[in-house]
Amino acid sequence: MTRRTEWPDTDAGGGPGPEYAAEPSRGTPEPGRRAGFGEGAGRRSRSRSTDSGSPSSSRAERGEPRDPVEQARNICLRLLTGTPRTRKQLADALRKREIPDEAAEEVLSRFEDVGLIDDAAFADAWVESRHHGRGLARRALVRELRTKGVDPAVIDEAVGQLDLEQEEETARELVARKLRSTRGLDRDKRLRRLAGMLARKGYGEGMALRVVRQAIEAEGEDTEGLDEPF
């Protein structure tokens, strides 16, 4: 005897899997059994299913490169997450990752169009943060923004936020914080240490000397001769 199951409609998409196969008794061929069904077909069906992944996943498995525009977009989005960047910083990162120039230019221009890259806003925020947070003067800020590839005209506009009065007030605050740690030192050594600190932050020699001299005078110390360059 042969126990049979019902075959699905084989005209609508290929043969059934093994679970639909008849179970013939030993030595008795199954009526209606045709080539292309049964266990062997199940193996072929599973093989076709495994090979039918998306083209992109197949390319990834073979190690083929993805679309360079997609790569550039993903790299830029990753770098911009939580940290603003200038166009040059992003362009340098794409070049380092060997993204073709054409793809990089397309993505960078698109990001500028939608406001994800804005060198003017970057420069304004940089000046605000670095002046109030680190006490940097305009000269130091210009130097930093140049290294980040910001256009000179954009830099000039950004550092124009700071006027001389604000710079000098910040210099006085910096000296006031450091003054106490220099007490007990030779007067000239105090001058060099305090004025040198201001110079490293981008303050001009004239302003630095004036601010330091006035701070030392306020402590009652003689400042005669402190107008000499440091």
Side-chain angles (χ1 to χ4, degrees), residues 55-116:
S56 60
S57 64
S58 297
R59 288 195 301 269
E61 290 170 359
R62 294 195 299 267
E64 295 179 8
R66 293 178 296 169
D67 175 19
V69 171
E70 178 189 352
Q71 285 184 292
R73 184 184 302 112
N74 291 339
I75 291 168
C76 289
L77 287 173
R78 236 180 2 255
L79 292 173
L80 288 168
T81 300
T83 306
R85 311 262 182 172
T86 65
R87 177 172 177 134
K88 182 180 185 299
Q89 286 177 301
L90 294 172
D92 289 345
L94 295 178
R95 193 174 300 110
K96 183 177 180 181
R97 289 164 175 79
E98 299 181 348
I99 300 297
D101 291 343
E102 185 177 345
E105 180 65 25
E106 178 180 339
V107 171
L108 293 173
S109 296
R110 176 58 179 164
F111 275 35
E112 277 189 327
D113 289 342
V114 300
L116 290 175

Side-chain angles (χ1 to χ4, degrees), residues 168 171-172 175 198 206-216:
E168 186 162 335
R172 293 182 190 282
V175 170
L198 291 179
M207 179 184 290
L209 284 172
R210 182 172 66 254
V211 169
V212 172
R213 188 183 69 247
Q214 291 172 351
I216 294 176

Side-chain angles (χ1 to χ4, degrees), residues 4 10-12 16 35 43-44 51 55 72 78-79 86 96 105 110 124 147 172 180 182 184 195 203 206:
R4 300 182 58 188
T10 58
D11 294 331
R43 284 197 298 267
R44 288 193 295 275
D51 294 338
R78 236 180 2 255
L79 292 173
T86 65
K96 183 177 180 181
E105 180 65 25
R110 176 58 179 164
D124 289 343
T147 65
R172 293 182 190 282
R180 184 176 181 179
T182 65
Y203 292 90

Side-chain angles (χ1 to χ4, degrees), residues 3-213:
R3 180 168 61 83
R4 300 182 58 188
T5 58
E6 293 295 329
W7 293 102
D9 184 0
T10 58
D11 294 331
E19 63 273 22
Y20 294 111
E23 298 178 4
S25 59
R26 190 174 303 169
T28 305
E30 171 61 18
R33 186 180 181 99
R34 300 179 302 186
F37 294 94
E39 183 178 352
R43 284 197 298 267
R44 288 193 295 275
S45 176
R46 288 193 296 272
S47 176
R48 285 195 299 270
S49 175
T50 302
D51 294 338
S52 62
S54 66
S56 60
S57 64
S58 297
R59 288 195 301 269
E61 290 170 359
R62 294 195 299 267
E64 295 179 8
R66 293 178 296 169
D67 175 19
V69 171
E70 178 189 352
Q71 285 184 292
R73 184 184 302 112
N74 291 339
I75 291 168
C76 289
L77 287 173
R78 236 180 2 255
L79 292 173
L80 288 168
T81 300
T83 306
R85 311 262 182 172
T86 65
R87 177 172 177 134
K88 182 180 185 299
Q89 286 177 301
L90 294 172
D92 289 345
L94 295 178
R95 193 174 300 110
K96 183 177 180 181
R97 289 164 175 79
E98 299 181 348
I99 300 297
D101 291 343
E102 185 177 345
E105 180 65 25
E106 178 180 339
V107 171
L108 293 173
S109 296
R110 176 58 179 164
F111 275 35
E112 277 189 327
D113 289 342
V114 300
L116 290 175
I117 300 175
D118 188 337
D119 282 4
F122 177 95
D124 289 343
W126 188 267
V127 169
E128 177 73 14
S129 172
R130 299 287 282 176
H131 178 73
H132 293 289
R134 298 287 303 278
L136 299 187
R138 285 181 296 181
R139 188 165 59 184
L141 294 168
V142 167
R143 186 167 56 245
E144 289 187 340
L145 289 171
R146 281 177 179 167
T147 65
K148 297 184 181 301
V150 179
D151 184 84
V154 175
I155 294 175
D156 290 343
E157 187 172 348
V159 298
Q161 302 174 45
L162 301 176
D163 56 31
L164 289 175
E165 291 183 3
Q166 186 174 356
E167 265 197 339
E168 186 162 335
E169 179 60 30
T170 302
R172 293 182 190 282
E173 292 173 0
L174 291 170
V175 170
R177 290 201 294 266
K178 290 286 187 179
L179 194 63
R180 184 176 181 179
S181 65
T182 65
R183 288 172 186 163
L185 297 177
D186 176 81
R187 187 194 65 172
D188 290 342
K189 186 175 290 187
R190 296 184 80 189
L191 166 67
R192 288 194 299 271
R193 181 167 297 184
L194 294 169
M197 177 268 296
L198 291 179
R200 288 190 296 275
K201 291 181 178 292
Y203 292 90
E205 180 181 294
M207 179 184 290
L209 284 172
R210 182 172 66 254
V211 169
V212 172
R213 188 183 69 247

